[in-house]
């Protein structure tokens, strides 16, 4: 539902403000926003022309056993009420398939947008392997991509020097690709 909300809002803005160039629409998001960015550029490649992702969730199946938000992984895949803290167990084969299907990585073959990926390597919420998998997948497809690695940052990428570098790189990335 979040993805459709983002697309609907973007299309509404483009319709309501005819002076906005539909060929210059980008998506920037971190964490769940990075998850949405990945979905949007994979499911709506003609609408979103560039993306910047910070510590994005890209593959719920590979994240669910390596995060402190296993409940988010279940709820994002199976819906509200699907997770019970009292009965945790690793996902079975069928559940892993559903988690893959609910992930941006499932749409990687549709992506056209040049994509900037920023990772805080001390992130325990969304393992850096999420962004690395997405970055390497894009690179293998020949999609313009750049990886920013912040060794001493966690999920927020909020050390002053890192945050400044991150936002400067986002601005440059969007200027270069829009």
């Amino acid at each position: 539902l979040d993805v459709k909300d983002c697309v609907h809002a973007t299309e509404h803005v483009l319709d309501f403000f005819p002076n906005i160039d539909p060929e210059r629409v980008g998506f920037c998001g971190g964490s769940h926003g990075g998850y949405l960015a990945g979905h949007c550029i994979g499911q709506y490649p003609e609408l979103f022309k560039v993306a910047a992702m910070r510590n994005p969730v890209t593959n719920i199946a590979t994240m669910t056993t390596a995060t402190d938000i296993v409940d988010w992984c279940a709820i994002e895949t199976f819906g509200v009420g699907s997770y019970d803290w009292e009965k945790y167990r690793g996902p079975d084969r069928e559940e892993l398939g559903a988690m893959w299907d609910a992930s941006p990585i499932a749409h990687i073959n549709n992506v056209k947008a040049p994509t900037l990926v920023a990772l805080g390597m001390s992130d325990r919420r969304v393992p850096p392997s999420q962004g690395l998998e997405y970055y390497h997948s894009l690179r293998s497809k020949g999609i313009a991509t750049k990886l920013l690695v912040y060794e001493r940052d966690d999920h927020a990428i909020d050390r002053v020097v890192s945050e400044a570098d991150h936002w400067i790189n986002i601005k440059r990335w969007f200027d270069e690709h829009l």
Side-chain angles (χ1 to χ4, degrees):
L1 188 59
D2 291 350
V3 173
K4 289 181 181 175
D5 289 343
C6 290
V7 170
H8 176 74
T10 303
E11 290 174 339
H12 178 75
V13 166
L14 290 171
D15 288 343
F16 195 76
F17 297 100
N19 59 323
I20 295 176
D21 184 351
E23 296 303 312
R24 294 178 45 86
V25 176
F27 202 117
C28 178
S31 192
H32 187 81
Y35 172 78
L36 292 174
H39 269 298
C40 285
I41 64 175
Q43 293 182 52
Y44 299 90
E46 302 306 322
L47 180 58
F48 298 100
K49 309 300 187 200
V50 65
M53 308 163 88
R54 178 189 45 82
N55 291 322
V57 174
T58 61
N59 185 342
I60 298 171
T62 59
M63 183 170 126
T64 191
T65 59
T67 182
D68 65 344
I69 54 170
V70 292
D71 55 328
W72 180 91
C73 295
I75 292 166
E76 197 61 36
T77 304
F78 304 110
V80 175
S82 62
Y83 187 78
D84 183 349
W85 284 100
E86 307 282 321
K87 298 179 183 172
Y88 175 78
R89 60 167 177 70
D92 63 27
R93 182 177 298 180
E94 185 177 306
E95 291 166 334
L96 286 170
M99 289 176 175
W100 168 272
D101 292 342
S103 299
I105 199 74
H107 307 285
I108 196 76
N109 289 330
N110 300 328
V111 175
K112 298 177 184 176
T115 304
L116 178 68
V117 179
L119 302 175
M121 298 308 281
S122 296
D123 190 350
R124 294 182 192 170
R125 171 117 322 153
V126 178
S129 58
Q130 292 287 297
L132 289 169
E133 178 183 11
Y134 204 78
Y135 166 77
H136 289 299
S137 296
L138 290 172
R139 209 175 90 197
S140 74
K141 291 177 37 52
I143 302 297
T145 187
K146 181 177 180 180
L147 180 65
L148 303 175
V149 173
Y150 301 100
E151 290 291 342
R152 295 178 48 210
D153 283 276
D154 58 18
H155 193 63
I157 305 181
D158 60 357
R159 289 178 51 248
V160 173
V161 67
S162 303
E163 188 172 21
D165 181 76
H166 181 218
W167 285 108
I168 289 167
N169 272 282
I170 291 169
K171 168 74 166 102
R172 287 178 176 160
W173 190 256
F174 274 55
D175 285 349
E176 180 181 345
H177 296 285
L178 283 180

